[in-house]
Amino acid sequence: MKSARPYTMRARAAGAEGTRSRILQAAVGQLKQRLRSDIRLNDVAAQAGVTVQTVLRVFGSKAELFRSALDEVLQEMRDGLGRTEPGDVAGAVRTWFDHYEQFGDVVIANLVEEHDPAVAPVVRIGRERHRERVRTVLAPQLDGFPAGDRERVVDALVCMTDVYTWKLLRRDMQRPRPDAESTMLLMIDSVLGGS
């Protein structure tokens, strides 16, 4: 007679992975909407349908849970921003706006809290990745500039495509998205037109 033990172990493993996934997705959802410092483990546990003790048993600590959740959020951001071919300025602006429309308000709230040691690494990674994206997506245009001028041009483009530029256009000036995208394109073209 065969033992039911292997089936039971597989079922337990699948259940444990399902629980881990639900907790992680709850934390990811919270990170997309709120500051990390405003998120309580009770909120994550309730959303995942588990207890706080289960969250801690699965992830070990709040810090480890949010490290894993941040990795998921950053991967999602990379995937969303990675859809543009180098040289496609309008496509780059469109994906920046897609990103900012989804995450911009939380990003800005995190920037306000960047003195917090838990938030500072997130802000640093965001800045590094934004600069890297500007360099990658606009590489064909940047190649037209003399090597000595390139970093200054990248600095200008990073500023023009920053989340604060989006905030000024969309939140402060209340421009419709198509108008705000056109304004960002105008700024970028004013710099790249000299290449």
Side-chain angles (χ1 to χ4, degrees):
M1 180 175 195
K2 287 187 176 180
S3 167
R5 188 172 182 93
Y7 172 77
T8 303
M9 290 173 63
R10 281 195 302 273
R12 277 192 200 146
E17 184 52 38
T19 299
R20 184 182 192 290
S21 180
R22 282 196 323 276
I23 294 167
L24 185 58
Q25 289 313 305
V28 165
Q30 293 285 329
L31 277 178
K32 289 179 182 179
Q33 298 169 6
R34 302 163 63 189
L35 286 172
R36 182 178 182 264
S37 58
D38 292 340
I39 302 170
R40 299 173 317 139
L41 284 180
N42 287 339
D43 302 329
V44 174
Q47 190 174 341
V50 298
T51 65
V52 171
Q53 290 78 14
T54 299
V55 172
L56 292 173
R57 181 178 47 76
V58 171
F59 283 93
S61 68
K62 182 178 181 180
E64 183 57 27
L65 169 63
F66 284 108
R67 189 200 60 71
S68 297
L70 178 61
D71 287 346
E72 292 280 322
V73 170
L74 291 174
Q75 184 60 50
E76 186 177 323
M77 289 177 179
R78 277 193 299 276
D79 292 346
L81 289 171
R83 296 184 304 238
T84 307
E85 291 295 317
D88 180 2
V89 179
V93 169
R94 192 170 39 259
T95 58
W96 273 311
F97 269 78
D98 288 346
H99 172 74
Y100 294 150
E101 294 291 321
Q102 184 175 4
F103 299 107
D105 295 318
V106 171
V107 169
I108 288 169
N110 275 311
L111 289 169
V112 170
E113 298 289 325
E114 73 177 297
H115 64 278
D116 180 334
V119 176
V122 176
V123 170
R124 181 185 49 75
I125 290 167
R127 284 188 177 123
E128 289 169 0
R129 295 221 169 119
H130 180 62
R131 187 173 193 87
E132 174 187 318
R133 174 144 171 81
V134 166
R135 279 195 178 114
T136 302
V137 173
L138 302 177
Q141 290 86 351
L142 290 168
D143 286 345
F145 286 89
D149 292 339
R150 226 170 270 152
E151 278 307 297
R152 189 167 44 94
V153 173
V154 169
D155 288 346
L157 293 168
V158 166
C159 292
M160 290 173 192
T161 58
D162 190 73
V163 68
Y164 279 120
T165 303
W166 167 83
K167 178 188 174 292
L168 283 168
L169 293 167
R170 293 287 283 139
R171 298 296 186 247
D172 300 352
M173 297 177 193
Q174 299 184 342
R175 300 294 187 256
R177 180 173 169 171
D179 294 351
E181 285 187 31
S182 293
T183 301
M184 187 177 282
L185 273 169
L186 176 67
M187 290 188 290
I188 294 169
D189 288 343
S190 71
V191 168
L192 296 180
S195 61

PDB file of all heavy atoms in Angstrom, residues 20 24 27-28 31 59 62-74:
ATOM      1  N   ARG A  20       2.996  32.422   1.128  1.00  0.00           N
ATOM      2  CA  ARG A  20       4.104  33.359   0.915  1.00  0.00           C
ATOM      3  C   ARG A  20       3.775  34.342  -0.200  1.00  0.00           C
ATOM      4  O   ARG A  20       3.998  35.544  -0.084  1.00  0.00           O
ATOM      5  CB  ARG A  20       5.381  32.593   0.586  1.00  0.00           C
ATOM      6  CG  ARG A  20       6.596  33.492   0.448  1.00  0.00           C
ATOM      7  CD  ARG A  20       7.851  32.694   0.066  1.00  0.00           C
ATOM      8  NE  ARG A  20       9.045  33.481   0.195  1.00  0.00           N
ATOM      9  CZ  ARG A  20       9.370  34.501  -0.596  1.00  0.00           C
ATOM     10  NH1 ARG A  20       8.588  34.854  -1.592  1.00  0.00           N
ATOM     11  NH2 ARG A  20      10.487  35.186  -0.398  1.00  0.00           N
ATOM     12  N   LEU A  24       3.413  38.378   0.107  1.00  0.00           N
ATOM     13  CA  LEU A  24       4.293  39.230  -0.699  1.00  0.00           C
ATOM     14  C   LEU A  24       3.482  40.175  -1.576  1.00  0.00           C
ATOM     15  O   LEU A  24       3.786  41.372  -1.664  1.00  0.00           O
ATOM     16  CB  LEU A  24       5.225  38.363  -1.548  1.00  0.00           C
ATOM     17  CG  LEU A  24       6.281  39.097  -2.360  1.00  0.00           C
ATOM     18  CD1 LEU A  24       7.182  39.950  -1.463  1.00  0.00           C
ATOM     19  CD2 LEU A  24       7.118  38.100  -3.151  1.00  0.00           C
ATOM     20  N   ALA A  27       2.073  42.991   0.467  1.00  0.00           N
ATOM     21  CA  ALA A  27       3.108  43.989   0.780  1.00  0.00           C
ATOM     22  C   ALA A  27       3.438  44.829  -0.450  1.00  0.00           C
ATOM     23  O   ALA A  27       3.606  46.048  -0.351  1.00  0.00           O
ATOM     24  CB  ALA A  27       4.360  43.296   1.313  1.00  0.00           C
ATOM     25  N   VAL A  28       3.513  44.200  -1.614  1.00  0.00           N
ATOM     26  CA  VAL A  28       3.775  44.928  -2.866  1.00  0.00           C
ATOM     27  C   VAL A  28       2.657  45.945  -3.100  1.00  0.00           C
ATOM     28  O   VAL A  28       2.917  47.108  -3.420  1.00  0.00           O
ATOM     29  CB  VAL A  28       3.898  43.950  -4.064  1.00  0.00           C
ATOM     30  CG1 VAL A  28       3.806  44.682  -5.392  1.00  0.00           C
ATOM     31  CG2 VAL A  28       5.202  43.163  -3.972  1.00  0.00           C
ATOM     32  N   LEU A  31       3.106  48.850  -0.789  1.00  0.00           N
ATOM     33  CA  LEU A  31       4.236  49.712  -1.169  1.00  0.00           C
ATOM     34  C   LEU A  31       3.905  50.614  -2.350  1.00  0.00           C
ATOM     35  O   LEU A  31       4.452  51.704  -2.470  1.00  0.00           O
ATOM     36  CB  LEU A  31       5.460  48.867  -1.532  1.00  0.00           C
ATOM     37  CG  LEU A  31       6.325  48.377  -0.393  1.00  0.00           C
ATOM     38  CD1 LEU A  31       7.463  47.514  -0.928  1.00  0.00           C
ATOM     39  CD2 LEU A  31       6.883  49.533   0.427  1.00  0.00           C
ATOM     40  N   PHE A  59       8.548  35.306   6.608  1.00  0.00           N
ATOM     41  CA  PHE A  59       9.583  36.235   6.140  1.00  0.00           C
ATOM     42  C   PHE A  59      10.658  36.545   7.182  1.00  0.00           C
ATOM     43  O   PHE A  59      11.698  37.102   6.830  1.00  0.00           O
ATOM     44  CB  PHE A  59       8.944  37.529   5.628  1.00  0.00           C
ATOM     45  CG  PHE A  59       8.341  37.348   4.268  1.00  0.00           C
ATOM     46  CD1 PHE A  59       7.016  37.002   4.134  1.00  0.00           C
ATOM     47  CD2 PHE A  59       9.110  37.490   3.120  1.00  0.00           C
ATOM     48  CE1 PHE A  59       6.451  36.800   2.886  1.00  0.00           C
ATOM     49  CE2 PHE A  59       8.568  37.292   1.875  1.00  0.00           C
ATOM     50  CZ  PHE A  59       7.228  36.946   1.750  1.00  0.00           C
ATOM     51  N   LYS A  62       9.869  42.232   9.478  1.00  0.00           N
ATOM     52  CA  LYS A  62       9.230  43.244   8.631  1.00  0.00           C
ATOM     53  C   LYS A  62      10.227  43.739   7.590  1.00  0.00           C
ATOM     54  O   LYS A  62       9.874  43.939   6.421  1.00  0.00           O
ATOM     55  CB  LYS A  62       8.727  44.396   9.500  1.00  0.00           C
ATOM     56  CG  LYS A  62       8.005  45.475   8.718  1.00  0.00           C
ATOM     57  CD  LYS A  62       7.477  46.577   9.631  1.00  0.00           C
ATOM     58  CE  LYS A  62       6.745  47.637   8.823  1.00  0.00           C
ATOM     59  NZ  LYS A  62       6.208  48.715   9.663  1.00  0.00           N
ATOM     60  N   ALA A  63      11.469  43.923   7.999  1.00  0.00           N
ATOM     61  CA  ALA A  63      12.499  44.414   7.072  1.00  0.00           C
ATOM     62  C   ALA A  63      12.688  43.448   5.906  1.00  0.00           C
ATOM     63  O   ALA A  63      12.797  43.873   4.746  1.00  0.00           O
ATOM     64  CB  ALA A  63      13.817  44.620   7.815  1.00  0.00           C
ATOM     65  N   GLU A  64      12.723  42.152   6.196  1.00  0.00           N
ATOM     66  CA  GLU A  64      12.910  41.161   5.132  1.00  0.00           C
ATOM     67  C   GLU A  64      11.694  41.109   4.213  1.00  0.00           C
ATOM     68  O   GLU A  64      11.824  40.977   3.004  1.00  0.00           O
ATOM     69  CB  GLU A  64      13.190  39.777   5.722  1.00  0.00           C
ATOM     70  CG  GLU A  64      13.475  38.717   4.684  1.00  0.00           C
ATOM     71  CD  GLU A  64      14.648  39.030   3.757  1.00  0.00           C
ATOM     72  OE1 GLU A  64      15.575  39.763   4.148  1.00  0.00           O
ATOM     73  OE2 GLU A  64      14.618  38.534   2.611  1.00  0.00           O
ATOM     74  N   LEU A  65      10.507  41.217   4.771  1.00  0.00           N
ATOM     75  CA  LEU A  65       9.295  41.251   3.949  1.00  0.00           C
ATOM     76  C   LEU A  65       9.350  42.424   2.978  1.00  0.00           C
ATOM     77  O   LEU A  65       9.109  42.265   1.778  1.00  0.00           O
ATOM     78  CB  LEU A  65       8.053  41.366   4.839  1.00  0.00           C
ATOM     79  CG  LEU A  65       6.741  41.683   4.106  1.00  0.00           C
ATOM     80  CD1 LEU A  65       6.369  40.561   3.140  1.00  0.00           C
ATOM     81  CD2 LEU A  65       5.623  41.942   5.116  1.00  0.00           C
ATOM     82  N   PHE A  66       9.705  43.607   3.477  1.00  0.00           N
ATOM     83  CA  PHE A  66       9.709  44.782   2.612  1.00  0.00           C
ATOM     84  C   PHE A  66      10.902  44.808   1.663  1.00  0.00           C
ATOM     85  O   PHE A  66      10.817  45.386   0.581  1.00  0.00           O
ATOM     86  CB  PHE A  66       9.580  46.066   3.433  1.00  0.00           C
ATOM     87  CG  PHE A  66       8.166  46.256   3.898  1.00  0.00           C
ATOM     88  CD1 PHE A  66       7.829  46.079   5.216  1.00  0.00           C
ATOM     89  CD2 PHE A  66       7.164  46.549   2.997  1.00  0.00           C
ATOM     90  CE1 PHE A  66       6.514  46.204   5.643  1.00  0.00           C
ATOM     91  CE2 PHE A  66       5.848  46.678   3.400  1.00  0.00           C
ATOM     92  CZ  PHE A  66       5.522  46.515   4.733  1.00  0.00           C
ATOM     93  N   ARG A  67      11.984  44.127   2.015  1.00  0.00           N
ATOM     94  CA  ARG A  67      13.077  43.986   1.053  1.00  0.00           C
ATOM     95  C   ARG A  67      12.610  43.149  -0.130  1.00  0.00           C
ATOM     96  O   ARG A  67      12.820  43.494  -1.279  1.00  0.00           O
ATOM     97  CB  ARG A  67      14.302  43.352   1.706  1.00  0.00           C
ATOM     98  CG  ARG A  67      15.550  43.376   0.799  1.00  0.00           C
ATOM     99  CD  ARG A  67      16.585  42.361   1.211  1.00  0.00           C
ATOM    100  NE  ARG A  67      16.109  40.991   1.189  1.00  0.00           N
ATOM    101  CZ  ARG A  67      15.844  40.288   0.066  1.00  0.00           C
ATOM    102  NH1 ARG A  67      15.991  40.824  -1.101  1.00  0.00           N
ATOM    103  NH2 ARG A  67      15.411  39.049   0.153  1.00  0.00           N
ATOM    104  N   SER A  68      11.923  42.047   0.162  1.00  0.00           N
ATOM    105  CA  SER A  68      11.396  41.183  -0.900  1.00  0.00           C
ATOM    106  C   SER A  68      10.333  41.903  -1.717  1.00  0.00           C
ATOM    107  O   SER A  68      10.299  41.792  -2.946  1.00  0.00           O
ATOM    108  CB  SER A  68      10.797  39.900  -0.300  1.00  0.00           C
ATOM    109  OG  SER A  68      11.787  39.150   0.345  1.00  0.00           O
ATOM    110  N   ALA A  69       9.463  42.636  -1.038  1.00  0.00           N
ATOM    111  CA  ALA A  69       8.405  43.369  -1.741  1.00  0.00           C
ATOM    112  C   ALA A  69       9.004  44.462  -2.625  1.00  0.00           C
ATOM    113  O   ALA A  69       8.563  44.666  -3.759  1.00  0.00           O
ATOM    114  CB  ALA A  69       7.425  43.963  -0.739  1.00  0.00           C
ATOM    115  N   LEU A  70      10.019  45.147  -2.115  1.00  0.00           N
ATOM    116  CA  LEU A  70      10.670  46.183  -2.915  1.00  0.00           C
ATOM    117  C   LEU A  70      11.326  45.583  -4.155  1.00  0.00           C
ATOM    118  O   LEU A  70      11.256  46.158  -5.248  1.00  0.00           O
ATOM    119  CB  LEU A  70      11.707  46.939  -2.081  1.00  0.00           C
ATOM    120  CG  LEU A  70      12.481  48.022  -2.825  1.00  0.00           C
ATOM    121  CD1 LEU A  70      11.544  49.099  -3.362  1.00  0.00           C
ATOM    122  CD2 LEU A  70      13.542  48.628  -1.923  1.00  0.00           C
ATOM    123  N   ASP A  71      11.952  44.425  -4.016  1.00  0.00           N
ATOM    124  CA  ASP A  71      12.528  43.746  -5.179  1.00  0.00           C
ATOM    125  C   ASP A  71      11.460  43.497  -6.235  1.00  0.00           C
ATOM    126  O   ASP A  71      11.698  43.689  -7.435  1.00  0.00           O
ATOM    127  CB  ASP A  71      13.169  42.412  -4.775  1.00  0.00           C
ATOM    128  CG  ASP A  71      14.472  42.584  -4.011  1.00  0.00           C
ATOM    129  OD1 ASP A  71      15.020  43.710  -4.013  1.00  0.00           O
ATOM    130  OD2 ASP A  71      14.937  41.596  -3.408  1.00  0.00           O
ATOM    131  N   GLU A  72      10.281  43.074  -5.807  1.00  0.00           N
ATOM    132  CA  GLU A  72       9.168  42.820  -6.739  1.00  0.00           C
ATOM    133  C   GLU A  72       8.731  44.119  -7.424  1.00  0.00           C
ATOM    134  O   GLU A  72       8.508  44.147  -8.629  1.00  0.00           O
ATOM    135  CB  GLU A  72       7.981  42.212  -6.001  1.00  0.00           C
ATOM    136  CG  GLU A  72       8.201  40.822  -5.491  1.00  0.00           C
ATOM    137  CD  GLU A  72       8.035  39.772  -6.571  1.00  0.00           C
ATOM    138  OE1 GLU A  72       7.149  39.920  -7.427  1.00  0.00           O
ATOM    139  OE2 GLU A  72       8.810  38.804  -6.543  1.00  0.00           O
ATOM    140  N   VAL A  73       8.592  45.183  -6.645  1.00  0.00           N
ATOM    141  CA  VAL A  73       8.164  46.472  -7.199  1.00  0.00           C
ATOM    142  C   VAL A  73       9.195  46.986  -8.196  1.00  0.00           C
ATOM    143  O   VAL A  73       8.849  47.437  -9.293  1.00  0.00           O
ATOM    144  CB  VAL A  73       7.917  47.508  -6.074  1.00  0.00           C
ATOM    145  CG1 VAL A  73       7.719  48.903  -6.649  1.00  0.00           C
ATOM    146  CG2 VAL A  73       6.715  47.100  -5.234  1.00  0.00           C
ATOM    147  N   LEU A  74      10.473  46.901  -7.841  1.00  0.00           N
ATOM    148  CA  LEU A  74      11.524  47.375  -8.742  1.00  0.00           C
ATOM    149  C   LEU A  74      11.558  46.563 -10.028  1.00  0.00           C
ATOM    150  O   LEU A  74      11.768  47.114 -11.116  1.00  0.00           O
ATOM    151  CB  LEU A  74      12.881  47.341  -8.036  1.00  0.00           C
ATOM    152  CG  LEU A  74      13.062  48.347  -6.901  1.00  0.00           C
ATOM    153  CD1 LEU A  74      14.388  48.113  -6.186  1.00  0.00           C
ATOM    154  CD2 LEU A  74      12.964  49.778  -7.411  1.00  0.00           C
TER     155      LEU A  74
END
